[in-house]
Amino acid sequence: MDEQQRTARAGRAHSAAERLAGHDVVGVAVTWVDNSGITRVKTVPSAKLESAAAWGIGASPVFDAFLLDDSIMSGRYAGSPVGDLRLHPDLDRLTVLAAQPGWAWAPADRYTQDGAVHPQCARSLARSMTDRLRGAGLEASMAFEVEWTVGRAGTDEFVPACSGPAYGMTRLVELSAYSRDVLTALAAEGVAVDQFHPEYGAGQLEVSVAAEDPVAAADTTVLVRETVRAVGMTHGLRTSFSPKVTAEGVGNGGHVHVSLRRDGSSVMTGADGPFGLTQEGASFTAGVLARLPALLAIGCPTTASYLRLIPSHWAGAFACWGRENREAAVRLVTGAVGSGSWAANVEVKCFDGAANPYLVVAGLLAAGLAGMDESAELPPPVDVDPASLDDDSRAERSIAPLPTSLTEAADRFEADPALAEALGVELAATIVDLRRADVALMAGKSPDEIVALTRWKH
Ligand code: GLU
Ligand code: MG
């Protein structure tokens, strides 16, 4: 960040602050997501936006070491109380918050006091991975599905806010005003909602949004979640994006859709690879599939995540891929006949609502790029629930169960050189240290206790 950039940012922030005043905004929430998947915030009054844009807002690097219970682990490259970072709000994403009158929001990039990008800034990393892909001639689009559960406020227990059946119209009737307010707020914020529906679990709902640039997609999922939470508050409801709100039943996924284009044409369709994939589309997908066990340290970052990631719960607990197979961790979505050129994409189903979306973007793109570098080949597709096969049949089809614990995922992540290179020594070490600290935090606890400690954190 040099002087010229600071001056340009200050100028833009000045006009932005005038625009915010027209919307009666008094403060701007500047957020980043920590490595435990929790959105943290600092705010400035609108009058200070100009200085925040130019000089950043002070924030300790110790946040890199936060666990989900706000305890601070002592990591190899995180956890020291010494030092300071600068949070620079991204003015391109400045949004008036529709469900929090008087507030606007912007996601932050984190810089050092020297004006360099902080080596553990997940948002900057997501951007640099997107740029790396662009350097290889490919434009990525991504979208996060947001699943959540609504419970009654006033208790730490989970009391579902509706009693209608899964996908039932009854639920929409019960939560009609709330659901309308969710859609109204997201529209006012410029979020391109594709669909909203009651999900399978008790009190569970879902919003899906249009695909966009990967960093924008991660920003959007933060905005959607905090908007949903804020709307819930006004209806006396409590919102959870936690992987599990009860030890039984299905959890909250954080499925991610990825598509790639070269020279404007999708590499996910129209070619002679399996189901029309191009060679590079297949290699990208194979790179992701091969690294899923390691990527779980990013996408399923809590001990509770592994209570969700179980067979026959639509969470994709097996490392395999298939066309429209909702029990495969990687689902190829080809779209309806005739729509493939814009609709074809790869959906990673195993990740959950506790994941930092910026790390998910960075990790997936790094894994896909590694697959392309290696000209990786996809194993045969799977068209059944892998849980319905015996061990021998699964082995014949190269279907492996994904890690069943955070310890296993952290070990696999630590052993993956491509991910370590992409994330950098410091961030990769911090992720491993944090996951092991989470395991220690939850050691000896029952599933009910783990769920209770995790339920209202994300
Ligand atoms: N809630 C499921 C999960 O944990 C996903 C349901 C669906 O396929 O949308 O990922
Ligand atoms: Mg869903």
Side-chain angles (χ1 to χ4, degrees):
M1 175 93 43
D2 58 26
E3 201 182 322
Q4 208 182 353
Q5 283 169 314
R6 290 191 200 279
T7 310
R9 281 174 186 240
R12 287 192 61 207
H14 185 82
S15 344
E18 282 174 359
R19 183 169 62 84
L20 294 182
H23 292 271
D24 297 325
V25 168
V26 295
V28 181
V30 179
T31 61
W32 73 101
V33 182
D34 74 12
N35 292 313
S36 295
I38 294 177
T39 301
R40 310 271 178 186
V41 68
K42 292 240 173 159
T43 81
V44 288
S46 302
K48 282 280 176 189
L49 184 61
E50 193 174 323
S51 117
W55 295 101
I57 305 165
S60 168
V62 81
F63 290 114
D64 290 334
F66 267 47
L67 287 161
L68 55 72
D69 70 340
D70 296 341
S71 61
I72 298 167
M73 62 114 200
S74 181
R76 284 166 284 175
Y77 295 96
S80 163
V82 179
D84 196 35
L85 296 173
R86 313 301 302 175
L87 304 174
H88 284 267
D90 185 340
L91 298 173
D92 285 337
R93 201 56 209 253
L94 186 64
T95 304
V96 177
L97 290 176
Q100 288 176 258
W103 287 99
W105 162 84
D109 290 313
R110 296 186 299 154
Y111 286 77
T112 67
Q113 286 180 313
D114 301 332
V117 169
H118 173 45
Q120 303 200 46
C121 175
R123 189 170 187 268
S124 302
L125 179 73
R127 187 181 302 105
S128 77
M129 282 300 133
T130 308
D131 289 344
R132 221 191 251 194
L133 200 67
R134 197 169 287 134
L138 290 164
E139 288 291 332
S141 297
M142 294 176 79
F144 287 81
E145 291 179 15
V146 181
E147 290 186 340
W148 74 93
T149 351
V150 267
R152 298 273 165 222
T155 171
D156 282 339
E157 298 301 314
F158 173 61
V159 183
C162 54
S163 52
Y167 309 99
M169 181 65 190
T170 304
R171 274 197 204 173
L172 193 64
V173 175
E174 290 175 276
L175 295 172
S176 192
Y178 162 80
S179 304
R180 174 206 59 204
D181 289 352
V182 166
L183 288 181
T184 306
L186 294 175
E189 291 169 350
V191 175
V193 171
D194 272 348
Q195 207 186 103
F196 169 73
H197 64 265
E199 251 293 343
Y200 190 85
Q204 196 180 33
L205 302 167
E206 173 177 333
V207 154
S208 51
V209 297
E212 53 194 326
D213 164 82
V215 176
D219 290 337
T220 294
T221 200
V222 172
L223 178 61
V224 168
R225 289 162 62 126
E226 298 315 319
T227 300
V228 164
R229 200 189 312 276
V231 171
M233 295 288 292
T234 66
H235 287 267
L237 303 176
R238 215 167 170 191
T239 306
S240 174
F241 302 94
S242 178
K244 290 292 273 224
V245 291
T246 55
E248 304 305 319
V250 299
N252 288 317
H255 307 182
V256 199
H257 295 259
V258 191
S259 60
L260 303 177
R261 306 184 89 76
R262 177 177 290 284
D263 302 327
S265 296
S266 172
V267 307
M268 304 294 187
T269 190
D272 48 11
F275 307 117
L277 284 167
T278 64
Q279 177 58 52
E280 61 188 351
S283 290
F284 181 94
T285 308
V288 169
L289 183 60
R291 284 173 180 78
L292 278 184
L295 286 170
L296 288 191
I298 288 175
C300 293
T302 63
T303 300
S305 298
Y306 298 82
L307 299 171
R308 163 186 170 268
L309 193 57
I310 49 179
S312 306
H313 281 61
W314 296 346
F318 289 94
C320 61
W321 76 286
R323 181 186 188 185
E324 300 295 2
N325 186 345
R326 285 180 168 75
E327 282 297 340
V330 174
R331 167 188 171 209
L332 179 68
V333 180
T334 49
V337 173
S339 72
S341 62
W342 48 270
N345 67 81
V346 161
E347 178 187 18
V348 178
K349 289 187 68 78
C350 47
F351 298 166
D352 66 44
N356 173 329
Y358 302 101
L359 289 180
V360 166
V361 165
L364 281 178
L365 297 186
L369 274 160
M372 283 165 42
D373 281 350
E374 296 156 356
S375 301
E377 302 273 352
L378 277 168
V382 173
D383 60 0
V384 292
D385 180 352
S388 67
L389 304 171
D390 60 25
D391 287 348
D392 289 344
S393 316
R394 278 199 292 265
E396 263 165 40
R397 297 176 183 221
S398 327
I399 304 171
L402 283 170
T404 55
S405 71
L406 189 54
T407 298
E408 200 185 332
D411 291 348
R412 297 293 294 265
F413 178 82
E414 193 173 40
D416 192 302
L419 294 180
E421 185 278 325
L423 270 69
V425 175
E426 288 109 321
L427 182 55
T430 299
I431 288 170
V432 170
D433 293 345
L434 269 169
R435 303 305 175 247
R436 291 183 178 146
D438 188 281
V439 170
L441 184 72
M442 299 294 177
K445 301 217 169 5
S446 69
D448 282 331
E449 289 169 322
I450 293 165
V451 165
L453 285 166
T454 313
R455 186 183 288 134
W456 301 114
K457 302 299 187 191
H458 294 94

